Amino acid sequence: MRTKKKFKKLWIASVDIEAAPGYEFNDLIDCSECNETLPAYNGAWANVILQSETIKEALNLIEQGLNEKNFIVKFIDKIENLYFLVEDNDVNIDIIKEAEWLYSSKFRFMISDKLWPYLND
């Protein structure tokens, strides 16, 4: 069984993001595998995994990490400690693998899996 203790320093957040001022959202996302022209997206939902001691620090890392990628936080829907999600078997294996990679790396921030872009109506 995996050592769950390391997950106490890992957090996952569901974040609504948009392009920082001066940037177009579509220019910030990887569309290399797209077979068609994409609509001009306004933003996206993303799961962000963070490595930090406290939730306060994790919240700061969300903004810092997204700023480095020229995104800004529009809304944080939720943030949870991965330890409890793993303990309750309420997280899929792909997120666990990403979290283990982040924990063993020098990084403290990563966008998990993919973005779910949206258009404003």
Side-chain angles (χ1 to χ4, degrees):
M1 185 71 180
R2 301 176 202 272
T3 304
K4 296 179 200 171
K5 186 177 178 184
K6 63 186 164 195
F7 291 113
K8 287 186 176 183
K9 295 182 181 182
L10 295 170
W11 305 83
I12 187 163
S14 176
V15 185
D16 185 358
I17 62 175
E18 59 189 10
Y23 294 91
E24 294 295 324
F25 190 85
N26 284 34
D27 294 338
L28 301 177
I29 58 176
D30 179 10
C31 297
S32 61
E33 296 182 15
C34 302
N35 295 330
E36 56 192 58
T37 303
L38 297 176
Y41 291 119
N42 302 99
W45 283 96
N47 287 322
V48 177
I49 302 175
L50 308 135
Q51 184 174 181
S52 70
E53 296 287 331
T54 66
I55 194 168
K56 183 177 180 179
E57 182 184 19
L59 290 168
N60 289 332
L61 282 174
I62 291 171
E63 290 204 27
Q64 290 172 7
L66 290 170
N67 284 340
E68 286 180 12
K69 297 180 177 299
N70 300 312
F71 292 115
I72 58 171
V73 175
K74 186 174 175 185
F75 179 75
I76 298 174
D77 181 51
K78 64 181 173 179
I79 184 167
E80 298 176 279
N81 186 274
L82 273 170
Y83 177 83
F84 296 104
L85 294 174
V86 171
E87 188 75 12
D88 293 338
N89 292 318
D90 196 21
V91 63
N92 74 41
I93 191 69
D94 293 332
I95 291 176
I96 291 172
K97 288 178 183 176
E98 288 176 332
E100 287 176 334
W101 177 87
L102 184 65
Y103 184 81
S104 66
S105 77
K106 63 178 179 164
F107 300 106
R108 300 182 65 208
F109 169 96
M110 74 179 291
I111 295 175
S112 175
D113 190 26
K114 62 182 178 180
L115 299 177
W116 287 273
Y118 60 80
L119 301 169
N120 287 342
D121 294 333

